[in-house]
Amino acid sequence: MAATAVRYLRSVGAATTAAPRTPAEALPRPDLRTVRDDERLPVAPDEFRRVLGHFASGVTVITARDADGPTGFACQSFASLSLDPPLVSFMVARTSTTWPRIARAGTFCVNVLGAEQGALCRGFAVSGADKFAGVAYEDAPATGSPLLDSVPAWIDCRIHAVHTGGDHLIVVGRVEALGATEEGDPLLFHRGAFGRFSR
């Protein structure tokens, strides 16, 4: 049957072999739009902090354990991200000396601080000190990261992804375990000072 079709095509002068392919022309590359100088909004860092300080946030301590022991830092830029899969995120300065240790550990625990834990937060906000001196904690159940005593809530995570966000890193964690108490008010941070939630 195939041979008959080929004979017929030859008899009418039709091509019996595929014409050589010509390379397809590539689509034009889209212009990669960047921010031009005349589009930049001149925002002074102090003014940026002052205005964004009006956004009240909760306060956490992000902890981890690497080969050198426990480590952690105070963090207000924490948020829930996804329900399915369960993901959370926090931001950390790219200059942080604590972050490389958390990255090496590959895991972390978010310790949500209560209204009476301002001093604990200040202890984890300093650089270069032994932040765990006199701080009681136990191992978080899934990762072994430090779970600080008496925190009203905690989220035990594995690092899921890390993205660059200007002078900070956006760290995404997959939740492995979590827990909370039903008592106590949160520690809030607003305009450079700690505050309380009033019902």
Side-chain angles (χ1 to χ4, degrees):
M1 179 75 114
T4 304
V6 168
R7 279 195 299 274
Y8 170 76
L9 290 171
R10 283 181 179 156
S11 71
V12 297
T16 57
T17 58
R21 284 184 155 193
T22 57
E25 266 190 52
L27 293 172
R29 289 177 61 99
D31 289 333
L32 298 177
R33 186 178 184 279
T34 58
V35 179
R36 298 187 303 266
D37 286 338
D38 62 349
E39 293 178 307
R40 295 184 189 279
L41 183 63
V43 178
D46 289 346
E47 180 67 357
F48 185 86
R49 289 190 194 94
R50 186 188 72 79
V51 173
L52 270 70
H54 284 265
F55 179 71
S57 71
V59 186
T60 69
V61 171
I62 310 293
T63 59
R65 185 195 306 278
D66 68 358
D68 296 325
T71 189
F73 73 101
C75 177
Q76 69 178 103
S77 57
F78 164 76
S80 61
L81 180 61
S82 167
L83 186 61
D84 185 15
L87 302 175
V88 296
S89 66
F90 70 86
M91 276 62 85
V92 59
R94 294 172 71 179
T95 56
S96 167
T97 56
T98 302
W99 163 247
R101 296 184 61 190
I102 296 173
R104 280 195 298 271
T107 59
F108 62 90
C109 184
V110 181
N111 295 268
V112 179
L113 300 186
E116 307 300 331
Q117 294 180 309
L120 181 63
C121 179
R122 288 186 194 93
F124 278 91
V126 298
S127 181
D130 180 3
K131 300 176 185 180
F132 281 85
V135 175
Y137 63 90
E138 59 185 277
D139 293 346
T143 71
S145 302
L147 195 172
L148 306 181
D149 278 6
S150 303
V151 293
W154 54 272
I155 305 101
D156 196 14
C157 306
R158 297 191 184 279
I159 294 176
H160 179 75
V162 181
H163 307 284
T164 302
D167 57 9
H168 276 59
L169 297 172
I170 304 163
V171 182
V172 178
R174 184 171 181 124
V175 179
E176 301 287 337
L178 73 173
T181 65
E182 299 303 319
E183 300 176 0
D185 292 329
L187 180 64
L188 299 180
F189 191 74
H190 178 249
R191 298 180 68 182
F194 293 130
R196 300 182 68 109
F197 178 75
S198 60
R199 299 177 193 278

